[in-house]
Amino acid sequence: TKLKYKKFMATTSKAKTPINQGKVTALGTALKPLNSEYGKVAPGWGTTVVMGIFMALFALFLVIILEIYNSSVILDNVGMSWNSTN
C-alpha cells in the first residue's frame, strides 16, 4: 500500500492580508529611510580596515582587563576583593 501525503504549503495563511505583503506600521514607515541603501556594497575593502583596528583594540582591552583580574598586572590601590575595605 502506498501512503498518501497531503501537500501543505509552509506559507499558507488564513489572514485576510496577502502573503507577499507585510503589515505597514508607523514605526516601519519612520525607519524605512535607514534601510534605503539595502544591498549596496562599498567598493573595494570599504571600512574593513577600520573594523579590524577596532577589533584589535577591543581584544587588547579584554586582555588588559583579564590580566588585572588575574593579578598578572598589579596596580596600586586596586583591590580585587568583593569585601568592603572600610
Side-chain angles (χ1 to χ4, degrees):
T1 47
K2 291 185 179 179
L3 296 174
K4 290 187 177 182
Y5 295 101
K6 292 184 180 181
K7 294 182 181 180
F8 292 103
M9 290 180 52
T11 57
T12 302
S13 174
K14 294 182 181 180
K16 294 181 181 180
T17 58
I19 295 171
N20 58 359
Q21 293 180 356
K23 186 183 287 189
V24 178
T25 63
L27 180 62
T29 305
L31 295 176
K32 192 168 190 170
L34 296 176
N35 199 24
S36 63
E37 295 188 13
Y38 173 77
K40 293 184 182 176
V41 178
W45 283 92
T47 59
T48 307
V49 175
V50 176
M51 181 185 64
I53 291 170
F54 279 103
M55 288 174 64
L57 289 174
F58 184 64
L60 179 66
F61 168 75
L62 291 178
V63 168
I64 290 170
I65 295 298
L66 178 65
E67 288 184 357
I68 290 172
Y69 182 75
N70 199 22
S71 298
S72 299
V73 175
I74 299 173
L75 299 176
D76 293 335
N77 300 324
V78 176
M80 294 311 300
S81 175
W82 288 98
N83 299 328
S84 176
T85 58
N86 291 340

